[in-house]
Amino acid sequence: MYSLPDPPPKDEWVKAQKPQESPEEAMKRYIDAKRSAIQCFAALADEKWSQALSWMTDDSVDFLRKHAIDGDLEASLAAHKLQQNGDIIPFDPVNDVFIAGLADIRDEFGDRTDDEEDDSTKILYAIAKSGDARRIVVVLEDNRWKVKLTEIPNPLLTP
């Protein structure tokens, strides 16, 4: 019988590194996430609310429904208004989820690092013609990439 040695003290533990993703896998994940974000953007821009919501995570839809006026999410989106803390606030589904004057959706913006990215979470940036950006979180849910929005307002980033 063999007995194992005692483990080292907890302060000496080293976090295991996840295997390095190949450039091809990283590009595929980026393209798939970006494609889903574009689908969500297009549906929001065309005011196809149920289609747009299908490109959003379940918790995003729940979040928006919680802030919908009288619980009617599609009517709130059409009216460009939500409620927060009892107040009615303006909410432009296209500009507040993505950005006004969208020019591109990119994988990077400035010198930002996206430490929370993993196999099921991708951070993208909606870039405006002005150069401003908004961070877009895209999550793999039910084997499909979906936009995650759980914050109003979603802050603008400047170059």
Side-chain angles (χ1 to χ4, degrees), residues 125-140:
Y125 296 92
I127 311 294
K129 294 172 188 168
S130 66
D132 291 340
R134 181 165 279 133
R135 186 173 183 261
I136 307 295
V137 178
V138 187
V139 176
L140 191 59

Side-chain angles (χ1 to χ4, degrees), residues 57-131:
T57 62
D58 291 343
D59 60 340
S60 299
V61 175
D62 291 344
F63 173 79
L64 289 169
R65 187 166 283 118
K66 177 181 143 193
H67 292 285
I69 299 168
D70 298 326
D72 189 343
L73 180 53
E74 292 191 19
S76 289
L77 293 174
H80 292 210
K81 295 179 182 174
L82 293 176
Q83 62 184 10
Q84 188 172 37
N85 301 325
D87 296 326
I88 304 297
I89 59 170
F91 179 77
D92 185 316
V94 174
N95 297 342
D96 292 337
V97 174
F98 288 88
I99 199 164
L102 179 71
D104 195 8
I105 296 177
R106 297 184 191 151
D107 194 21
E108 298 173 349
F109 181 71
D111 294 333
R112 298 186 183 336
T113 57
D114 302 314
D115 295 333
E116 66 214 61
E117 276 194 5
D118 57 29
D119 294 341
S120 62
T121 304
K122 185 71 183 153
I123 308 299
L124 300 175
Y125 296 92
I127 311 294
K129 294 172 188 168
S130 66

Side-chain angles (χ1 to χ4, degrees), residues 43-63:
L44 289 171
D46 291 341
E47 297 186 358
K48 295 181 179 177
W49 308 126
S50 60
Q51 184 179 355
L53 294 170
S54 75
W55 288 103
M56 299 180 98
T57 62
D58 291 343
D59 60 340
S60 299
V61 175
D62 291 344
F63 173 79

